[in-house]
mmCIF file of all heavy atoms in Angstrom:
data_model
loop_
_atom_site.group_PDB
_atom_site.id
_atom_site.type_symbol
_atom_site.label_atom_id
_atom_site.label_comp_id
_atom_site.label_asym_id
_atom_site.label_seq_id
_atom_site.Cartn_x
_atom_site.Cartn_y
_atom_site.Cartn_z
ATOM 1 N N LEU A 62 52.436 177.759 141.983
ATOM 2 C CA LEU A 62 51.284 177.376 142.829
ATOM 3 C C LEU A 62 51.434 177.916 144.230
ATOM 4 O O LEU A 62 50.442 178.372 144.852
ATOM 5 C CB LEU A 62 51.166 175.849 142.866
ATOM 6 C CG LEU A 62 49.855 175.296 143.454
ATOM 7 C CD1 LEU A 62 48.664 175.740 142.661
ATOM 8 C CD2 LEU A 62 49.888 173.750 143.514
ATOM 9 N N ARG A 63 52.643 177.923 144.736
ATOM 10 C CA ARG A 63 52.851 178.463 146.084
ATOM 11 C C ARG A 63 52.566 179.951 146.130
ATOM 12 O O ARG A 63 51.934 180.430 147.055
ATOM 13 C CB ARG A 63 54.330 178.213 146.498
ATOM 14 C CG ARG A 63 54.597 178.658 147.974
ATOM 15 C CD ARG A 63 56.011 178.342 148.404
ATOM 16 N NE ARG A 63 56.228 176.881 148.484
ATOM 17 C CZ ARG A 63 56.967 176.163 147.626
ATOM 18 N NH1 ARG A 63 57.562 176.765 146.631
ATOM 19 N NH2 ARG A 63 57.077 174.869 147.787
ATOM 20 N N ALA A 64 52.965 180.672 145.055
ATOM 21 C CA ALA A 64 52.672 182.092 144.980
ATOM 22 C C ALA A 64 51.192 182.342 144.900
ATOM 23 O O ALA A 64 50.662 183.256 145.508
ATOM 24 C CB ALA A 64 53.420 182.724 143.768
ATOM 25 N N ASP A 65 50.488 181.526 144.065
ATOM 26 C CA ASP A 65 49.063 181.681 143.938
ATOM 27 C C ASP A 65 48.359 181.427 145.309
ATOM 28 O O ASP A 65 47.460 182.155 145.682
ATOM 29 C CB ASP A 65 48.537 180.653 142.904
ATOM 30 C CG ASP A 65 48.859 181.014 141.496
ATOM 31 O OD1 ASP A 65 49.279 182.172 141.274
ATOM 32 O OD2 ASP A 65 48.713 180.162 140.619
ATOM 33 N N TYR A 66 48.832 180.412 145.989
ATOM 34 C CA TYR A 66 48.238 180.073 147.288
ATOM 35 C C TYR A 66 48.399 181.210 148.306
ATOM 36 O O TYR A 66 47.440 181.545 149.017
ATOM 37 C CB TYR A 66 48.843 178.776 147.792
ATOM 38 C CG TYR A 66 48.452 178.377 149.190
ATOM 39 C CD1 TYR A 66 47.134 178.169 149.543
ATOM 40 C CD2 TYR A 66 49.439 178.157 150.167
ATOM 41 C CE1 TYR A 66 46.778 177.821 150.854
ATOM 42 C CE2 TYR A 66 49.093 177.789 151.485
ATOM 43 C CZ TYR A 66 47.765 177.629 151.779
ATOM 44 O OH TYR A 66 47.408 177.309 153.090
ATOM 45 N N GLN A 67 49.599 181.773 148.338
ATOM 46 C CA GLN A 67 49.843 182.894 149.264
ATOM 47 C C GLN A 67 48.981 184.085 148.904
ATOM 48 O O GLN A 67 48.482 184.791 149.804
ATOM 49 C CB GLN A 67 51.357 183.269 149.219
ATOM 50 C CG GLN A 67 52.233 182.215 149.821
ATOM 51 C CD GLN A 67 51.957 181.833 151.254
ATOM 52 O OE1 GLN A 67 51.517 182.683 152.033
ATOM 53 N NE2 GLN A 67 52.162 180.555 151.626
ATOM 54 N N GLN A 68 48.758 184.320 147.639
ATOM 55 C CA GLN A 68 47.950 185.405 147.167
ATOM 56 C C GLN A 68 46.484 185.207 147.609
ATOM 57 O O GLN A 68 45.824 186.163 148.075
ATOM 58 C CB GLN A 68 47.965 185.503 145.640
ATOM 59 C CG GLN A 68 47.141 186.673 145.063
ATOM 60 C CD GLN A 68 47.623 188.017 145.525
ATOM 61 O OE1 GLN A 68 48.803 188.357 145.406
ATOM 62 N NE2 GLN A 68 46.707 188.848 146.061
ATOM 63 N N ILE A 69 46.035 183.983 147.467
ATOM 64 C CA ILE A 69 44.641 183.682 147.924
ATOM 65 C C ILE A 69 44.457 183.909 149.416
ATOM 66 O O ILE A 69 43.462 184.493 149.854
ATOM 67 C CB ILE A 69 44.256 182.204 147.544
ATOM 68 C CG1 ILE A 69 44.302 182.028 146.000
ATOM 69 C CG2 ILE A 69 42.853 181.885 148.053
ATOM 70 C CD1 ILE A 69 44.263 180.594 145.576
ATOM 71 N N LYS A 70 45.430 183.435 150.187
ATOM 72 C CA LYS A 70 45.370 183.648 151.608
ATOM 73 C C LYS A 70 45.379 185.161 151.935
ATOM 74 O O LYS A 70 44.639 185.638 152.796
ATOM 75 C CB LYS A 70 46.536 182.975 152.344
ATOM 76 C CG LYS A 70 46.445 181.464 152.415
ATOM 77 C CD LYS A 70 47.230 180.887 153.538
ATOM 78 C CE LYS A 70 48.692 181.131 153.492
ATOM 79 N NZ LYS A 70 49.430 180.462 154.581
ATOM 80 N N GLY A 71 46.220 185.898 151.216
ATOM 81 C CA GLY A 71 46.312 187.348 151.453
ATOM 82 C C GLY A 71 44.997 188.046 151.107
ATOM 83 O O GLY A 71 44.596 188.991 151.798
ATOM 84 N N ASP A 72 44.334 187.577 150.035
ATOM 85 C CA ASP A 72 43.064 188.170 149.654
ATOM 86 C C ASP A 72 42.032 187.930 150.776
ATOM 87 O O ASP A 72 41.267 188.872 151.088
ATOM 88 C CB ASP A 72 42.542 187.510 148.373
ATOM 89 C CG ASP A 72 43.365 187.896 147.124
ATOM 90 O OD1 ASP A 72 44.120 188.911 147.241
ATOM 91 O OD2 ASP A 72 43.232 187.240 146.116
ATOM 92 N N PHE A 73 42.000 186.742 151.316
ATOM 93 C CA PHE A 73 41.028 186.464 152.417
ATOM 94 C C PHE A 73 41.339 187.339 153.582
ATOM 95 O O PHE A 73 40.416 187.928 154.216
ATOM 96 C CB PHE A 73 41.081 185.025 152.812
ATOM 97 C CG PHE A 73 40.098 184.648 153.914
ATOM 98 C CD1 PHE A 73 38.786 184.255 153.589
ATOM 99 C CD2 PHE A 73 40.466 184.781 155.271
ATOM 100 C CE1 PHE A 73 37.849 183.950 154.589
ATOM 101 C CE2 PHE A 73 39.507 184.491 156.236
ATOM 102 C CZ PHE A 73 38.249 184.050 155.903
ATOM 103 N N GLN A 74 42.592 187.461 153.955
ATOM 104 C CA GLN A 74 42.962 188.259 155.156
ATOM 105 C C GLN A 74 42.652 189.754 154.999
ATOM 106 O O GLN A 74 42.264 190.390 155.950
ATOM 107 C CB GLN A 74 44.427 188.026 155.481
ATOM 108 C CG GLN A 74 44.726 186.593 155.974
ATOM 109 C CD GLN A 74 46.176 186.190 155.856
ATOM 110 O OE1 GLN A 74 46.988 186.861 155.193
ATOM 111 N NE2 GLN A 74 46.546 185.058 156.456
ATOM 112 N N ALA A 75 42.785 190.207 153.713
ATOM 113 C CA ALA A 75 42.444 191.604 153.439
ATOM 114 C C ALA A 75 40.921 191.793 153.607
ATOM 115 O O ALA A 75 40.449 192.804 154.160
ATOM 116 C CB ALA A 75 42.863 192.009 152.063
ATOM 117 N N ARG A 76 40.146 190.859 153.083
ATOM 118 C CA ARG A 76 38.670 190.930 153.200
ATOM 119 C C ARG A 76 38.260 190.751 154.643
ATOM 120 O O ARG A 76 37.258 191.334 155.096
ATOM 121 C CB ARG A 76 38.023 189.886 152.369
ATOM 122 C CG ARG A 76 38.291 190.040 150.836
ATOM 123 C CD ARG A 76 37.561 191.269 150.332
ATOM 124 N NE ARG A 76 36.167 190.961 150.056
ATOM 125 C CZ ARG A 76 35.202 191.848 149.874
ATOM 126 N NH1 ARG A 76 35.494 193.116 149.968
ATOM 127 N NH2 ARG A 76 33.947 191.486 149.652
ATOM 128 N N GLU A 77 39.038 189.982 155.402
ATOM 129 C CA GLU A 77 38.689 189.793 156.818
ATOM 130 C C GLU A 77 38.855 191.110 157.591
ATOM 131 O O GLU A 77 38.048 191.458 158.437
ATOM 132 C CB GLU A 77 39.691 188.774 157.472
ATOM 133 C CG GLU A 77 39.431 188.476 158.912
ATOM 134 C CD GLU A 77 40.390 187.435 159.474
ATOM 135 O OE1 GLU A 77 41.398 187.096 158.777
ATOM 136 O OE2 GLU A 77 40.111 186.986 160.576
ATOM 137 N N LYS A 78 39.877 191.889 157.232
ATOM 138 C CA LYS A 78 40.025 193.243 157.861
ATOM 139 C C LYS A 78 38.867 194.157 157.495
ATOM 140 O O LYS A 78 38.388 194.922 158.316
ATOM 141 C CB LYS A 78 41.373 193.850 157.364
ATOM 142 C CG LYS A 78 42.575 193.198 157.967
ATOM 143 C CD LYS A 78 43.881 193.863 157.509
ATOM 144 C CE LYS A 78 45.101 193.191 158.070
ATOM 145 N NZ LYS A 78 46.368 193.811 157.572
ATOM 146 N N GLU A 79 38.437 194.060 156.238
ATOM 147 C CA GLU A 79 37.283 194.835 155.832
ATOM 148 C C GLU A 79 36.058 194.434 156.638
ATOM 149 O O GLU A 79 35.286 195.321 157.043
ATOM 150 C CB GLU A 79 37.000 194.604 154.316
ATOM 151 C CG GLU A 79 38.006 195.232 153.370
ATOM 152 C CD GLU A 79 37.627 194.985 151.913
ATOM 153 O OE1 GLU A 79 36.436 194.880 151.639
ATOM 154 O OE2 GLU A 79 38.551 194.828 151.098
ATOM 155 N N ARG A 80 35.867 193.145 156.826
ATOM 156 C CA ARG A 80 34.680 192.664 157.551
ATOM 157 C C ARG A 80 34.755 193.094 159.018
ATOM 158 O O ARG A 80 33.756 193.522 159.581
ATOM 159 C CB ARG A 80 34.636 191.176 157.493
ATOM 160 C CG ARG A 80 33.478 190.490 158.280
ATOM 161 C CD ARG A 80 32.122 190.946 157.752
ATOM 162 N NE ARG A 80 31.010 190.427 158.528
ATOM 163 C CZ ARG A 80 30.587 190.923 159.674
ATOM 164 N NH1 ARG A 80 31.171 191.970 160.211
ATOM 165 N NH2 ARG A 80 29.532 190.423 160.250
ATOM 166 N N ASP A 81 35.949 193.029 159.640
ATOM 167 C CA ASP A 81 36.128 193.486 160.991
ATOM 168 C C ASP A 81 35.817 194.991 161.122
ATOM 169 O O ASP A 81 35.228 195.442 162.084
ATOM 170 C CB ASP A 81 37.486 193.160 161.524
ATOM 171 C CG ASP A 81 37.756 191.690 161.667
ATOM 172 O OD1 ASP A 81 36.737 190.942 161.688
ATOM 173 O OD2 ASP A 81 38.919 191.288 161.734
ATOM 174 N N SER A 82 36.266 195.774 160.104
ATOM 175 C CA SER A 82 36.054 197.214 160.133
ATOM 176 C C SER A 82 34.565 197.491 159.995
ATOM 177 O O SER A 82 33.995 198.377 160.659
ATOM 178 C CB SER A 82 36.810 197.869 158.984
ATOM 179 O OG SER A 82 36.532 199.249 158.897
ATOM 180 N N LEU A 83 33.902 196.735 159.095
ATOM 181 C CA LEU A 83 32.458 196.875 158.901
ATOM 182 C C LEU A 83 31.712 196.549 160.178
ATOM 183 O O LEU A 83 30.778 197.237 160.546
ATOM 184 C CB LEU A 83 31.988 195.953 157.760
ATOM 185 C CG LEU A 83 30.543 196.063 157.327
ATOM 186 C CD1 LEU A 83 30.230 197.458 156.846
ATOM 187 C CD2 LEU A 83 30.233 195.054 156.266
ATOM 188 N N ALA A 84 32.119 195.502 160.859
ATOM 189 C CA ALA A 84 31.462 195.065 162.128
ATOM 190 C C ALA A 84 31.640 196.157 163.178
ATOM 191 O O ALA A 84 30.699 196.470 163.968
ATOM 192 C CB ALA A 84 32.041 193.762 162.638
ATOM 193 N N ASN A 85 32.792 196.782 163.237
ATOM 194 C CA ASN A 85 33.071 197.856 164.208
ATOM 195 C C ASN A 85 32.141 199.074 163.913
ATOM 196 O O ASN A 85 31.624 199.696 164.825
ATOM 197 C CB ASN A 85 34.512 198.255 164.191
ATOM 198 C CG ASN A 85 35.431 197.215 164.719
ATOM 199 O OD1 ASN A 85 35.013 196.361 165.529
ATOM 200 N ND2 ASN A 85 36.715 197.232 164.338
ATOM 201 N N LYS A 86 32.002 199.383 162.604
ATOM 202 C CA LYS A 86 31.139 200.491 162.246
ATOM 203 C C LYS A 86 29.646 200.191 162.581
ATOM 204 O O LYS A 86 28.938 201.066 163.053
ATOM 205 C CB LYS A 86 31.277 200.774 160.766
ATOM 206 C CG LYS A 86 32.615 201.403 160.360
ATOM 207 C CD LYS A 86 32.685 201.668 158.847
ATOM 208 C CE LYS A 86 34.035 202.270 158.471
ATOM 209 N NZ LYS A 86 34.155 202.425 157.010
ATOM 210 N N GLU A 87 29.277 198.938 162.343
ATOM 211 C CA GLU A 87 27.883 198.565 162.686
ATOM 212 C C GLU A 87 27.592 198.679 164.188
ATOM 213 O O GLU A 87 26.554 199.145 164.632
ATOM 214 C CB GLU A 87 27.608 197.199 162.163
ATOM 215 C CG GLU A 87 27.535 197.077 160.644
ATOM 216 C CD GLU A 87 27.387 195.638 160.159
ATOM 217 O OE1 GLU A 87 27.493 194.709 161.018
ATOM 218 O OE2 GLU A 87 27.108 195.452 158.974
ATOM 219 N N ALA A 88 28.609 198.239 164.958
ATOM 220 C CA ALA A 88 28.483 198.316 166.411
ATOM 221 C C ALA A 88 28.389 199.756 166.866
ATOM 222 O O ALA A 88 27.590 200.086 167.741
ATOM 223 C CB ALA A 88 29.603 197.594 167.115
ATOM 224 N N LEU A 89 29.258 200.613 166.262
ATOM 225 C CA LEU A 89 29.228 202.014 166.617
ATOM 226 C C LEU A 89 27.926 202.694 166.216
ATOM 227 O O LEU A 89 27.330 203.486 167.005
ATOM 228 C CB LEU A 89 30.419 202.711 165.931
ATOM 229 C CG LEU A 89 30.605 204.229 166.273
ATOM 230 C CD1 LEU A 89 30.846 204.369 167.794
ATOM 231 C CD2 LEU A 89 31.773 204.775 165.486
ATOM 232 N N LEU A 90 27.412 202.312 165.047
ATOM 233 C CA LEU A 90 26.139 202.880 164.578
ATOM 234 C C LEU A 90 24.987 202.469 165.512
ATOM 235 O O LEU A 90 24.105 203.290 165.836
ATOM 236 C CB LEU A 90 25.854 202.460 163.149
ATOM 237 C CG LEU A 90 24.541 202.936 162.526
ATOM 238 C CD1 LEU A 90 24.464 204.457 162.526
ATOM 239 C CD2 LEU A 90 24.322 202.398 161.155
ATOM 240 N N SER A 91 24.992 201.240 165.936
ATOM 241 C CA SER A 91 24.006 200.734 166.868
ATOM 242 C C SER A 91 24.008 201.517 168.185
ATOM 243 O O SER A 91 22.942 201.864 168.733
ATOM 244 C CB SER A 91 24.208 199.245 167.190
ATOM 245 O OG SER A 91 23.989 198.472 166.015
ATOM 246 N N LYS A 92 25.192 201.877 168.655
ATOM 247 C CA LYS A 92 25.311 202.661 169.876
ATOM 248 C C LYS A 92 24.702 204.071 169.643
ATOM 249 O O LYS A 92 23.983 204.565 170.524
ATOM 250 C CB LYS A 92 26.798 202.783 170.301
ATOM 251 C CG LYS A 92 26.994 203.646 171.555
ATOM 252 C CD LYS A 92 28.467 203.782 171.888
ATOM 253 C CE LYS A 92 28.652 204.600 173.157
ATOM 254 N NZ LYS A 92 28.030 205.955 173.067
ATOM 255 N N TRP A 93 25.015 204.686 168.530
ATOM 256 C CA TRP A 93 24.501 205.988 168.231
ATOM 257 C C TRP A 93 22.971 205.953 168.058
ATOM 258 O O TRP A 93 22.277 206.906 168.452
ATOM 259 C CB TRP A 93 25.188 206.567 166.978
ATOM 260 C CG TRP A 93 26.475 207.265 167.305
ATOM 261 C CD1 TRP A 93 27.657 206.673 167.495
ATOM 262 C CD2 TRP A 93 26.676 208.650 167.495
ATOM 263 N NE1 TRP A 93 28.632 207.598 167.791
ATOM 264 C CE2 TRP A 93 28.036 208.848 167.816
ATOM 265 C CE3 TRP A 93 25.806 209.735 167.434
ATOM 266 C CZ2 TRP A 93 28.574 210.112 168.052
ATOM 267 C CZ3 TRP A 93 26.369 211.041 167.669
ATOM 268 C CH2 TRP A 93 27.717 211.212 167.979
ATOM 269 N N GLU A 94 22.487 204.880 167.484
ATOM 270 C CA GLU A 94 21.048 204.775 167.323
ATOM 271 C C GLU A 94 20.325 204.693 168.693
ATOM 272 O O GLU A 94 19.287 205.300 168.918
ATOM 273 C CB GLU A 94 20.698 203.545 166.491
ATOM 274 C CG GLU A 94 20.991 203.698 165.037
ATOM 275 C CD GLU A 94 20.667 202.460 164.213
ATOM 276 O OE1 GLU A 94 20.672 201.363 164.805
ATOM 277 O OE2 GLU A 94 20.399 202.601 163.012
#
């Protein structure tokens, strides 16, 4: 259960990085627009 829990947290943190990267790209695109 501890290993499962750590995996779930890791999955969220990986998706959080994706979301932050997406937000940065959106902000950059808005500037270019």
